């Protein structure tokens, strides 16, 4: 058990990568707050964790709302006594060029993917610092390192995630807080199907294309989860400001 006595927040915890990671953190001994816009789905994940004999609560929240973030941190501290680990993972994508995208959609993507991380850090860093440190992991993307087609706001937002991770690591390292990004390639979750729908493509063909990389398959959520568990644990105690790529090779 690598995370015994630790308390963790996982945003987007009802989705593919978030659910797998919430379960993996709990299985290593962490008490987990499963945070998602979809409160019912978050509760189902928390129940699944509790049924397996581990500790979890569900919190419905919009991560782009400061009031909601303040409530998430306060609820987690009240339930578990502190916060050692945060996985800022909630994210959305719009498959649009600059010409197709509206200004409101740009703001929406940046609200969920970028503003959320700033807000979470603003409110959780004091809690972690008072306890002597912690580990924050932000979900970037291969497209945040390299770029990609017809996803302007997403690529810009994930590039911001990668670099704000470095800035946060510099600012809060002296307080014992490590901040890293995990950067997946294509992972088998609802997001990929949503992308196929947005592009008007067949979901099966879209998923088959995602296997076009050296390991000849897309990733599974648990393979991102195991990287996050490592970044959350003391096994990565000298790693901060890094952009860990988990993509089967070939994207970044
Ligand atoms: P997903 O769509 O399965 O999960 C995303 C979760 O975030 C959903 O449960 C959704 O309800 C939640 N969410 C959306 N807006 C929210 C908000 N405003 N407040 C709180 N929760 C909100 O997608 P997946 O694949 O698990 O994505 C997780 C992260 O991984 C995202 O940041 C995504 O950009 C990133 N990623 C995913 C890749 C993939 O191929 N699936 C590749 C690279 C990065």
């Amino acid at each position: 058990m690598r995370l015994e006595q630790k308390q963790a927040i996982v945003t987007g915890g009802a989705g593919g990568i978030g659910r797998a990671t919430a379960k993996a953190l709990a299985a290593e001994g962490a008490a987990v707050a499963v945070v998602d816009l979809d409160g019912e789905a978050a509760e189902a994940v928390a129940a699944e964790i509790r049924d397996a004999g581990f500790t979890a609560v569900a919190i419905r929240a919009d991560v782009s709302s400061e009031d909601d973030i303040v409530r998430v941190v306060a609820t987690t501290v009240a339930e578990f006594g502190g916060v050692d680990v945060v996985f800022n993972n909630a994210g959305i994508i719009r498959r649009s060029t600059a010409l197709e995208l509206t200004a409101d959609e740009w703001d929406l993507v940046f609200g969920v993917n970028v503003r959320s991380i700033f807000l979470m850090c603003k409110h959780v860093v004091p809690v972690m610092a008072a306890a002597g440190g912690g580990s924050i992991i932000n979900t970037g993307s291969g497209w945040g390192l390299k770029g990609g087609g017809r996803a302007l706001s997403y690529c810009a937002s994930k590039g911001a995630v990668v670099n704000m991770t470095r800035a946060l690591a510099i600012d809060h390292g002296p307080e014992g807080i490590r901040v890293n990004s995990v950067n997946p390639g294509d992972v088998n979750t609802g997001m990929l199907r949503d992308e196929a729908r947005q592009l008007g493509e067949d979901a099966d063909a879209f998923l088959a294309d995602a296997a076009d990389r050296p390991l000849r398959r897309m990733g599974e959520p648990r393979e991102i989860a195991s990287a996050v568990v490592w970044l959350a644990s003391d096994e990565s105690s000298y790693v901060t400001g890094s952009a860990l790529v988990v993509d089967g090779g070939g994207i970044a």
Side-chain angles (χ1 to χ4, degrees), residues 12 14-18 36-38 61-64 89-92 112 139-141 154 158 184-187 189-192:
I17 292 171
D36 206 282
L37 195 56
D38 185 338
D62 176 351
V63 292
S64 64
N89 165 73
I92 55 172
V112 178
T139 306
S141 166
Y154 184 80
K158 293 301 187 178
D186 287 325
V187 180
T189 72
M191 181 173 274
L192 282 193

Side-chain angles (χ1 to χ4, degrees), residues 108-125:
L108 181 68
V109 169
F110 266 72
V112 178
N113 295 6
V114 181
R115 176 183 153 97
S116 59
I117 296 178
F118 148 61
L119 291 174
M120 180 65 84
C121 291
K122 181 176 176 66
H123 294 288
V124 87
V125 160

Side-chain angles (χ1 to χ4, degrees), residues 37 59-63 65-73:
L37 195 56
I59 306 173
R60 190 210 164 272
D62 176 351
V63 292
S65 153
E66 185 162 19
D67 287 349
D68 281 14
I69 291 291
V70 168
R71 182 170 50 83
V72 164
V73 174

Side-chain angles (χ1 to χ4, degrees), residues 185-205:
D186 287 325
V187 180
N188 188 11
T189 72
M191 181 173 274
L192 282 193
R193 284 175 197 83
D194 183 38
E195 287 182 64
R197 186 188 53 74
Q198 289 184 37
L199 294 168
E201 291 182 16
D202 176 67
D204 290 339

